[in-house]
Amino acid sequence: MNGLRVVPTWNHGQERLYVCLKDGRSIAWYDREAGRVDILREDRRADILEALGPFLTGSVTVGPPPVPTPAELARLSLHPDDDLAPNRPGEALLIALDRDPGPARRLRPDPRRRALEAERTTGEILDRLDGAGWHTLHSLPLPGGDRVHHLAIGPAGLFAVHSLYARKQRVLVADPLLTLGRRDPDPLLRRVRADADRASHALTAEVHPVLALVGPSDVRFTTTPREARVLRDTELAGLARQGGVLKPADVEALHAMARDRRTWT
């Protein structure tokens, strides 16, 4: 057996069969109505087709997910309430602090304000990539109350970026655990990958997970993180220097899809 599971589900009103790894992340899906198998992991193509074998019927097209169609691009005519493009970095935190600013005096700083500083710092860096053919969306809502801090879309692909405040602290990365200063280890990379996977489902396109550490004094790795990047905030601009994967039209199409709130419900 190749260790893959086939899970039936509904996505945007259509039944799909997702091919999942043991940890639950999907690497392909089969749309019977469209007669298409979309593959996110080309290196597992043979295993994916083997797992889907009992379910495939008729003529099937196999390949990477297609770019959104002109019909999908029509959703650019969005109601303002459905357009996520105006979201500021840390939009959800700003709203939460406005509703409940907390006590005027407290023994320790409000962790929400440090998280907001991290998202603002990361967001400002990613927003500056616009001149290089990139678009960045912030604070994208996921079902269940979670959110993608930043989604960067550009020639190098799509990146779900999670910001973490680490000002003047040492960071130890032992995938999936991350230890910040003297705190207890936290399996944060598991969440970062899960958020990127959920974004892949919503956009039907591969989204790469990135953890952005804001202001750390030192970063050490016991192992190379699996399928995720851990970058200092000063290294984020390097995303724009990677090789091209998406054409400008693809970038615009995916940005149009991602900015629509209905994509994420």
Side-chain angles (χ1 to χ4, degrees):
M1 299 296 290
N2 55 36
L4 301 180
R5 296 184 298 114
V6 177
V7 180
T9 188
W10 288 82
N11 188 290
H12 305 309
Q14 294 182 328
E15 185 180 15
R16 287 179 177 166
L17 297 175
Y18 281 90
V19 181
C20 303
L21 298 170
K22 289 182 179 179
D23 60 5
R25 290 178 299 119
S26 64
I27 59 174
W29 54 87
Y30 170 41
D31 187 331
R32 277 201 185 99
E33 184 177 343
R36 181 177 180 86
V37 176
D38 292 322
I39 294 179
L40 297 180
R41 289 277 304 273
E42 187 63 32
D43 60 319
R44 299 295 303 271
R45 174 187 282 251
D47 292 338
I48 289 167
L49 294 179
E50 179 185 353
L52 285 173
F55 307 96
L56 299 178
T57 58
S59 178
V60 176
T61 302
V62 180
V67 172
T69 65
E72 292 169 321
L73 286 178
R75 291 194 290 177
L76 271 171
S77 302
L78 293 177
H79 187 281
D81 290 344
D82 290 326
D83 191 357
L84 299 173
N87 279 8
R88 299 160 292 179
E91 183 77 25
L93 289 170
L94 287 165
I95 294 173
L97 286 166
D98 184 58
R99 291 175 177 171
D100 178 20
R105 295 183 179 180
R106 53 190 304 161
L107 296 176
R108 296 181 179 180
D110 190 331
R112 295 177 300 173
R113 297 193 180 278
R114 290 186 169 181
L116 176 59
E117 180 183 338
E119 290 192 41
R120 280 175 164 169
T121 299
T122 300
E124 289 172 2
I125 294 171
L126 294 174
D127 283 341
R128 289 199 291 268
L129 299 181
D130 279 4
W134 288 71
H135 292 292
T136 302
L137 297 166
H138 307 286
S139 211
L140 301 176
L142 292 170
D146 292 333
R147 61 193 174 88
V148 174
H149 290 181
H150 319 275
L151 180 70
I153 308 170
L158 295 91
F159 300 86
V161 182
H162 185 98
S163 301
L164 179 66
Y165 183 91
R167 189 74 63 192
K168 297 181 180 180
Q169 297 188 68
R170 294 181 177 180
V171 179
L172 176 64
V173 182
D175 191 10
L177 300 176
L178 183 139
T179 304
L180 185 63
R182 297 181 179 179
R183 299 182 192 177
D184 292 334
D186 178 11
L188 182 59
L189 287 177
R190 192 172 294 155
R191 176 187 170 185
V192 173
R193 283 192 287 261
D195 287 348
D197 189 46
R198 294 168 75 183
S200 294
H201 284 191
L203 298 170
T204 62
E206 184 173 13
V207 179
H208 304 283
V210 177
L211 175 62
L213 303 173
V214 176
S217 62
D218 183 51
V219 181
R220 298 185 181 182
F221 298 83
T222 61
T223 57
T224 301
R226 176 177 53 83
E227 299 176 8
R229 303 183 191 194
V230 178
L231 304 175
R232 297 171 182 257
D233 54 306
T234 54
E235 299 171 326
L236 286 171
L239 293 176
R241 294 191 290 271
Q242 296 185 39
V245 174
L246 299 176
K247 299 177 181 178
D250 301 340
V251 172
E252 295 301 324
L254 288 164
H255 176 245
M257 191 174 185
R259 68 187 292 179
D260 187 345
R261 185 182 299 275
R262 294 168 296 181
T263 297
W264 304 94
T265 58

